[in-house]
Amino acid sequence: MRILSALLASSALMSAVPVAAQSGAIVPSQTPDEASDKDASDQAGEQSVINDRTAPEGTLDVIVVTAQKRSQNLQDVPVAVTAISADALVNRNVATVSDLPRLAPSLTVTQGNVPTNNSINLRGIGTIAFSTAIEPSVAVIVDDVALLQQAQAFSGLSDVARIEVLRGPQGTLFGKNASAGALNIVSEGPTRYLTGAVTGTVTTDEQYRIDGVVSGPIGDSVGFRLNGFYGDRAGYIDNVYDGRRLNNDKSYGVRGRLAIEPSPIVEIDLTGTYSVSESDGTARTYRTVPAGSAIYGSPLSNTLVGITPGEDNFDTAFDGPLFNKSKSALVSGRVTVDLGSVDLVSITSYQDWRFRFIEDFDYIVGTVIGLPNGIVAESSYMASQFAQELRLASNGGGPVNYVAGLFYANGETDRTFDRGPSGPAVAQWNSSNGTKSYAAFGQVSFDLAQSTHVDVGLRANHEKIDVTYINNVAPAVPPANNARCNSLCVGEASDSVVTGKIALRQDLSDGVMAYASYSTGYKGQGYDISTGFTPARAADPVKPETSDAYELGLKSRFLDNRVQLNVAAFWTDFSNFQAQSGVQLPDGTIQLQLNNVGSVRTRGIEVELEARPIEALRIDGGISYTDAKILKFPNAQCYTGQTEAEGCLPVAGSPTGLQDLAGERLSNAPEWKFNLGAKYDIYMPSMPFDAFVQADVNYQSDVSYSLLANPLLVQDAYALVNASIGIDQNERGGMRIALFVSNLFDKSYASALGTPAGGSAGLVAQTLPRDARRYAGIRARFSF
C-alpha cells in the first residue's frame, strides 16, 4: 500500500508541474509551424539523431551518427553501428550502461564488486584487470571526450540524445583504447525555442527518481540547456546478520551547456557535468556451498543460518562494512570555425573522477584468521586528465571527404589500498600512474566511381607511461618478500604505433550498400599495479595488445523505406592478449598477475532489423552469433579445486598449478544473443492523448564467467521479457505516463560468478543485478 500510495502521490504532484521531452526534438514556445526543418537540423548539428521530417508518414526516420567524427547517414557508414535513440532509452527503461546489452547485439557487461572491476565487452572482448594503469578494450566517449577510466561510465545516464555502439577496432579515429570497439554517448544540445521537462519514476522495489531539463535561447546568438537528476533506490540484497539492505543506489547530477554563435562562421559549445553516486556496495550471495566449506579456514555454517544458497538467493550475511562512492566532473569546450568547404574543430576538456570503496573482504560472520571482525579492504582513487583535439573535417558533398586531426592527452590516476589489519591477506600500498599520448590521425573517403567508394584511415600514436609504487608493508620473511617493492618502485616507458583502416563500399541499388573492411587495433602497454608489485614489473610493463579485424557488411532499406536490415560478418585476431594469469616466481610459488598470455580470436555474424510495416507499429531487434575462443594461453593459473585429471599441471613447491587454455571460450561471451521489441501506437482522435503498448524480449545463451574455464562458474541461458503501457499527448509538449514491468516472468540470473578469495573448492558466489527479479513502476513526464 505504501508503494501504491507513493505512485499515485508522485503522479498527482507532477501533474501540477510543466515538463519537457528529453528526446531533443524542438518544442516551440509559439506554434509548431514556426519550427522549420532547418531549425531542427541546425539545433541538432553533430550532436543528435536527426529525424527526416520530409519523409512520408509511417516510414523510418533517417539517423545521422558521428561514428567517423563527421555527421553521416547511418546507412552510409562502413562500420557496424547500433544507434540507440533517446526515445528507445526511455521506452526500454535504460538507466545505466549496464542496461545497454538489452538493446545491442554482441554487447555484454561483466559486473564486479566495485565499478573499477566492471568490464564492457564487445564481440566477446573486454578487459578485467585490477590495475588502474591497464586500458580497456572498449573506449567510452562522452560528447567527444574519451573517459580516462572505464568505471566512470557506470554513474548513470541522463538527458542523452543517443548512444552509438561501434563494434570492431575503432582506434584510427577514437584512439588507442578502442581495440574492440567504442561506446559514443551524445547528450542533448540547446534548443532554439524555450522547452522544459520534468520526469518522475517510482517503482515497486522502492526507486524514486526525478529528472528535469530546461532549454532555450538567451538572446539571438546564445542557447542554453540545463538538466539535473536525483535518484534514490533501496537495496535488493538483504543482510540477514544486521538487517542492512545492500546494492542500493543514491545518485544525483547536473549538466549545463551553452551554445554561442559570436559570428556567422564561429560556434562555441561549452559543457560542464558533475555527478555523485553512492551505495552500500555490490554485495554477492552464495549460489553453491558444498558441505564443510570455509573461508580462510573459518567454516561458513554460522554465516549461512537462515540462508538457502541457490540461483535465486538474494540473502547474504557478513559483519563488516560495504560502501562505495564516486564523484565525477567533466568540463569541455568545442569551437567550430566554418572555413567554407572545411570546418576547423577544437575540443578542449578536463575530467576529474574520485572513487572510494570499503568492504568486508572475507564476507562471513565471525572470526577470520584470528581477527574478531575479519578482514577489511578499502581503497580510494583520484583520476584526472587534460585533453586537446584539433581537427579539420570537410563539409562538402563532392567526391572527396576527409577528417584529419591532432590529439594530446595527459592523464594521471592515484590509488591507495589497505587490506588488513594482519594475516596472509594483508596489503597496504600507494600508487600513481601517468599517461601522455600524442597522435596524428586522418581518414579520407573518395569515389572510385559513382557507386563505388573507398575509405582509408591512419593514426600515428606515441605514448609515455610512468608509475610510482610505495609498499607500506615491511618485508616479513626474507628472501621471499625481497622480490617485492620494499618501499619505493618507479618506472617509465614509451611506445609508438601506427594503426589504420581501409574499407570498400559498393552501392548495389538505391538504399542498399555493401562493404568490406580491414582495420588494425591497439591497446597500449601498461603497468600491472596491484598487490605484490615488484621492481621487475616496474622495469617491464605489460606489452601492447594488437588486433587485426576483417569485416563484411550489408546495409539496406527497402519496402518504401519501411524496413531496415543491416548485417555484419566479422573475424578478429588479437595478439599479446592482456589477461590475469599465473606466473612462477623464483621461490617456486605461483603469483596471479596481468601479463600477455597469447592470442584469441573472435568471429561471427550480427543482424539488426528495424521495421515500420504500418504507421502505428515499430519493430526493432538484433541477433548475434559470436565464436570467441582462446587460441594460445599457456601457463594459466588453475582454478580452485582443479585436479591433474582436469588439466591442472602441478608445480613443485606451489599450492597452485598451471593449465593450458587453448581452445576454451572467452568469459562472458555468449554464442547467441538476441533482442526483439515492438511498440504499437493506439490513435484516439477524439481524446487529447493517444495510447501505446510496448514489449521486448532479450535472450542470451549460456556463458562462463571464468577466464580459467571453471565449469562451476557457468550461467545457463535465459530470456527476459519487459512490457509497458501508457498514454502520450498527441501534440508537442504535454503529458506522457507509462506503467512498466521489468522481468515480467521473474527469471533469476547472475551478472557475475566467482570463487571467493580463500574459499574452499566448489564454493560459488554470485552477483545478482537489479532486474534479476521482477519489479514494476510508473513513469510520468510533463513537458512544454
Side-chain angles (χ1 to χ4, degrees):
M1 287 300 294
R2 186 166 73 89
I3 295 298
L4 179 59
S5 299
L7 292 171
L8 296 176
S10 173
S11 179
L13 174 63
M14 289 181 296
S15 66
V17 184
V19 195
Q22 296 184 10
S23 63
I26 290 182
V27 186
S29 57
Q30 298 180 23
T31 65
D33 293 338
E34 292 175 326
S36 67
D37 292 339
K38 184 179 185 301
D39 285 337
S41 179
D42 289 346
Q43 174 264 315
E46 289 189 343
Q47 297 296 317
S48 65
V49 176
I50 300 176
N51 294 331
D52 182 5
R53 293 191 176 91
T54 64
E57 286 191 17
T59 62
L60 297 175
D61 299 325
V62 173
I63 300 176
V64 173
V65 296
T66 53
Q68 297 190 128
K69 295 206 171 185
R70 293 189 294 116
S71 295
Q72 294 176 282
N73 187 329
L74 172 67
Q75 296 304 99
D76 294 334
V77 178
V79 178
V81 183
T82 301
I84 305 171
S85 69
D87 286 340
L89 294 172
V90 173
N91 293 337
R92 301 292 179 84
N93 201 31
V94 174
T96 70
V97 167
S98 299
D99 298 323
L100 289 176
R102 292 193 271 123
L103 298 179
S106 302
L107 173 66
T108 60
V109 172
T110 302
Q111 187 174 2
N113 59 322
V114 291
T116 50
N117 291 341
N118 291 354
S119 172
I120 300 172
N121 316 302
L122 281 170
R123 294 174 171 173
I125 302 298
T127 300
I128 299 178
F130 303 121
S131 173
T132 59
I134 298 300
E135 297 172 340
S137 301
V138 179
V140 180
I141 299 98
V142 179
D143 292 333
D144 259 330
V145 178
L147 300 182
L148 177 60
Q149 295 288 337
Q150 193 179 79
Q152 296 171 247
F154 291 90
S155 58
L157 301 170
S158 179
D159 202 34
V160 173
R162 76 176 181 278
I163 297 178
E164 300 170 9
V165 182
L166 284 61
R167 306 186 293 277
Q170 306 297 325
T172 301
L173 294 178
F174 290 99
K176 57 187 175 57
N177 58 344
S179 58
L183 296 185
N184 187 27
I185 301 174
V186 183
S187 65
E188 293 283 12
T191 54
R192 291 186 176 272
Y193 299 87
L194 183 63
T195 67
V198 173
T199 304
T201 304
V202 182
T203 66
T204 55
D205 63 349
E206 297 187 59
Q207 177 192 19
Y208 306 91
R209 177 174 170 127
I210 186 166
D211 293 75
V213 60
V214 61
S215 178
I218 306 175
D220 296 332
S221 59
V222 180
F224 79 97
R225 190 178 190 92
L226 180 66
N227 73 278
F229 71 93
Y230 175 83
D232 190 352
R233 175 177 53 77
Y236 57 88
I237 300 295
D238 293 320
N239 187 337
V240 300
Y241 171 74
D242 55 17
R244 281 180 292 170
R245 295 179 64 181
L246 308 170
N247 294 33
N248 66 317
D249 178 72
K250 181 180 291 185
S251 58
Y252 59 89
V254 62
R255 178 190 293 117
R257 192 163 177 175
L258 283 177
I260 307 170
E261 296 182 10
S263 76
I265 65 169
V266 178
E267 296 179 2
I268 302 173
D269 192 348
L270 305 176
T271 303
T273 302
Y274 179 76
S275 63
V276 176
S277 177
E278 66 178 70
S279 71
D280 291 327
T282 301
R284 60 179 183 259
T285 68
Y286 287 111
R287 171 175 283 204
T288 306
V289 182
S293 292
I295 298 288
Y296 288 113
S298 298
L300 279 172
S301 53
N302 293 334
T303 298
L304 294 176
V305 174
I307 296 176
T308 303
E311 294 183 2
D312 57 353
N313 172 28
F314 285 81
D315 295 329
T316 189
F318 56 90
D319 53 12
L322 193 64
F323 174 81
N324 63 63
K325 183 174 183 177
S326 67
K327 298 179 181 180
S328 180
L330 191 154
V331 292
S332 66
R334 175 190 175 104
V335 180
T336 304
V337 182
D338 185 353
L339 300 178
S341 61
V342 63
D343 287 339
L344 174 64
V345 182
S346 171
I347 301 169
T348 307
S349 67
Y350 178 80
Q351 56 186 285
D352 183 273
W353 180 65
R354 311 291 175 98
F355 177 71
R356 178 175 179 267
F357 77 82
I358 179 170
E359 67 172 352
D360 186 319
F361 186 74
D362 51 74
Y363 254 79
I364 67 173
V365 175
T367 301
V368 179
I369 56 174
L371 302 173
N373 297 318
I375 307 168
V376 174
E378 59 180 306
S379 183
S380 61
Y381 300 74
M382 292 187 295
S384 62
Q385 177 172 275
F386 169 82
Q388 173 65 52
E389 182 171 318
L390 192 67
R391 66 177 182 250
L392 290 171
S394 62
N395 53 27
V400 178
N401 286 282
Y402 63 89
V403 58
L406 300 172
F407 177 79
Y408 167 77
N410 186 351
E412 182 173 333
T413 302
D414 299 329
R415 183 184 181 188
T416 65
F417 185 79
D418 188 341
R419 184 178 64 209
S422 63
V426 67
Q428 297 165 353
W429 48 267
N430 302 333
S431 71
S432 177
N433 66 274
T435 173
K436 290 184 180 180
S437 296
Y438 309 82
F441 62 90
Q443 182 166 300
V444 60
S445 302
F446 55 93
D447 300 338
L448 295 177
Q450 184 175 2
S451 60
T452 306
H453 323 278
V454 173
D455 301 91
V456 179
L458 286 175
R459 186 183 191 97
N461 191 88
H462 178 71
E463 181 185 28
K464 297 179 180 180
I465 61 174
D466 61 76
V467 62
T468 300
Y469 182 95
I470 301 175
N471 182 12
N472 296 320
V473 179
V477 185
N481 276 352
N482 287 341
R484 301 186 177 188
C485 297
N486 291 336
S487 57
L488 175 67
C489 278
V490 296
E492 60 180 27
S494 62
D495 190 34
S496 298
V497 67
V498 175
T499 57
K501 175 181 180 177
I502 183 170
L504 177 66
R505 293 179 285 131
Q506 179 67 44
D507 299 326
L508 302 179
S509 64
D510 186 20
V512 181
M513 182 268 286
Y515 69 89
S517 69
Y518 167 73
S519 58
T520 59
Y522 172 87
K523 186 172 72 170
Q525 61 181 341
Y527 293 103
D528 180 22
I529 304 174
S530 57
T531 301
F533 194 75
T534 65
R537 292 196 210 177
D540 187 21
V542 179
K543 295 179 177 62
E545 178 182 295
T546 60
S547 58
D548 293 274
Y550 307 86
E551 187 167 298
L552 297 174
L554 179 72
K555 295 194 173 185
S556 62
R557 282 199 171 190
F558 48 91
L559 295 181
D560 296 326
N561 203 35
R562 293 181 181 274
V563 177
Q564 175 177 296
L565 181 66
N566 294 342
V567 182
F570 60 91
W571 183 306
T572 307
D573 292 312
F574 288 80
S575 300
N576 281 329
F577 186 63
Q578 297 174 350
Q580 303 283 154
S581 66
V583 175
Q584 188 169 8
L585 302 179
D587 62 0
T589 60
I590 303 297
Q591 184 177 85
L592 183 65
Q593 67 182 61
L594 193 80
N595 56 79
N596 301 102
V597 299
S599 58
V600 302
R601 181 198 64 209
T602 178
R603 60 185 179 182
I605 188 168
E606 302 153 337
V607 180
E608 292 184 286
L609 170 71
E610 185 176 352
R612 198 171 182 181
I614 59 175
E615 183 177 354
L617 178 63
R618 288 179 178 269
I619 301 171
D620 62 84
I623 184 170
S624 65
Y625 169 76
T626 304
D627 178 28
K629 287 188 176 180
I630 299 169
L631 300 182
K632 182 181 179 182
F633 193 164
N635 299 327
Q637 185 185 33
C638 298
Y639 57 82
T640 303
Q642 185 177 5
T643 65
E644 188 171 353
E646 294 169 322
C648 182
L649 303 178
V651 175
S654 177
T656 305
L658 299 175
Q659 61 172 321
D660 188 345
L661 288 176
E664 296 289 342
R665 287 169 54 186
L666 286 173
S667 60
N668 201 4
E671 285 189 313
W672 290 98
K673 189 170 178 289
F674 80 78
N675 60 277
L676 181 64
K679 180 175 179 286
Y680 184 76
D681 294 316
I682 304 170
Y683 300 119
M684 298 184 291
S686 61
M687 302 292 290
F689 52 79
D690 294 327
F692 65 88
V693 293
Q694 180 173 308
D696 61 86
V697 58
N698 312 280
Y699 167 86
Q700 74 169 38
S701 58
D702 65 282
V703 295
S704 172
Y705 284 119
S706 170
L707 184 64
L708 303 179
N710 187 337
L712 297 178
L713 306 185
V714 174
Q715 169 62 53
D716 293 336
Y718 64 89
L720 303 179
V721 177
N722 309 303
S724 65
I725 185 171
I727 59 173
D728 196 352
Q729 283 191 313
N730 51 15
E731 59 187 39
R732 297 195 180 203
M735 174 185 65
R736 175 187 171 95
I737 298 177
L739 299 172
F740 62 89
V741 59
S742 178
N743 195 352
L744 181 63
F745 297 107
D746 203 23
K747 174 62 179 177
S748 183
Y749 71 99
S751 57
L753 296 171
T755 54
S760 304
L763 184 62
V764 177
Q766 61 188 353
T767 300
L768 299 173
R770 177 194 181 190
D771 61 357
R773 59 182 177 185
R774 180 174 53 236
Y775 67 91
I778 182 172
R779 181 182 299 107
R781 184 190 71 197
F782 296 86
S783 60
F784 65 86

